[in-house]
């Protein structure tokens, strides 16, 4: 049966395939980010309880630890199929955009704590969480647009029924790339 011009082999329109890919990418980003939130809030509360540092300084320390955790998760889980050839540039951009996210995140906490006088453990955690959410929107856009770039000259296949996992041609380390017309699909 011939395909209509707006359908791919999997039966999805090209626009729907891109939307599905974006949702999948956001889910992976959210998984790493969700774990990063636990790291961030955990370090924040330990720092507040174990040191005499002011609230925003504890938040900056916690954010820095979470940034390191998130880089590892994003590079090795969410964007593992992206260009790895310019790692120093990637790390520099990641640090720069993460620094902007740090300012956004901790700016929300700073304004709530020192601008409005809303202090205390519960409100501190609430505004820390709101700051994380605000900064996450910026980070998602900047990381996918500038830091973890697609390989040049090759689009990332998100419309595969196996996702990124079933098509080893997405891996730059696999010299014997999967060719669907000549090889049986991987298990």
């Amino acid at each position: 049966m011939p395909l209509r011009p707006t359908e791919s082999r999997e039966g999805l329109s090209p626009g729907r395939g891109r939307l599905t890919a974006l949702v999948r990418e956001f889910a992976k980003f959210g998984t790493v980010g969700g774990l990063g939130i636990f790291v961030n809030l955990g370090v924040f509360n330990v720092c507040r309880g174990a040191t005499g540092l002011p609230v925003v300084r504890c938040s900056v320390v916690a954010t820095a630890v979470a940034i390191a955790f998130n880089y590892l998760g994003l590079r090795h889980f969410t964007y593992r199929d992206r260009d790895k050839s310019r790692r120093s540039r990637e790390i520099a951009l990641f640090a720069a955009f993460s620094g902007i996210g740090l300012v956004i995140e901790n700016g929300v906490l700073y304004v709530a704590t020192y601008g409005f006088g809303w202090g205390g453990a519960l409100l501190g955690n609430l505004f820390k969480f709101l700051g994380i959410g605000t900064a996450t929107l910026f980070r998602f856009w900047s990381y996918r647009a500038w830091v973890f770039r697609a390989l040049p000259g090759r689009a990332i296949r998100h419309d595969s029924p196996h996702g990124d996992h079933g098509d080893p041609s997405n891996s730059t380390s696999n010299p014997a790339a999967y060719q669907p017309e000549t090889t049986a699909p991987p298990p």
Side-chain angles (χ1 to χ4, degrees):
M1 176 168 153
L3 294 175
R4 284 182 263 161
T6 59
E7 290 184 335
S8 67
R9 294 223 177 264
E10 290 78 30
L12 298 175
S13 67
R16 185 166 177 182
R18 283 189 289 273
L19 179 61
T20 301
L22 182 62
V23 168
R24 186 179 308 124
E25 180 182 341
F26 190 73
K28 287 180 174 183
F29 185 89
T31 299
V32 171
L35 293 171
I37 288 171
F38 283 117
V39 168
N40 198 332
L41 291 174
V43 171
F44 174 64
N45 285 300
V46 166
C47 185
R48 285 185 70 183
T51 70
L53 291 175
V55 133
V56 175
R57 284 193 193 153
C58 287
S59 181
V60 169
V61 168
T63 303
V65 171
I67 286 170
F69 174 85
N70 287 344
Y71 176 78
L72 294 173
L74 291 170
R75 166 42 58 213
H76 298 291
F77 175 64
T78 306
Y79 297 116
R80 70 175 170 253
D81 60 338
R82 300 289 176 100
D83 186 9
K84 296 177 181 96
S85 65
R86 298 185 290 177
R87 187 66 58 103
S88 58
R89 178 183 181 275
E90 174 183 289
I91 291 171
L93 285 172
F94 185 86
F97 287 117
S98 294
I100 294 168
L102 182 142
V103 170
I104 294 169
E105 176 181 328
N106 293 295
V108 171
L109 181 62
Y110 181 87
V111 168
T113 303
Y114 299 113
F116 294 110
W118 296 331
L122 180 62
L123 287 176
N125 279 293
L126 174 68
F127 287 106
K128 172 84 172 148
F129 187 76
L130 288 174
I132 290 169
T134 304
T136 295
L137 296 174
F138 169 76
R139 288 177 178 134
F140 179 71
W141 167 78
S142 63
Y143 294 165
R144 83 181 300 267
W146 296 97
V147 179
F148 300 106
R149 308 262 333 219
L151 290 168
R154 186 168 71 173
I156 296 175
R157 288 203 43 196
H158 292 292
D159 59 347
S160 168
H162 302 290
D164 296 335
H165 307 293
D167 185 1
S169 67
N170 283 334
S171 172
T172 57
S173 64
N174 185 356
Y178 168 65
Q179 298 297 323
E181 59 277 348
T182 60
T183 315

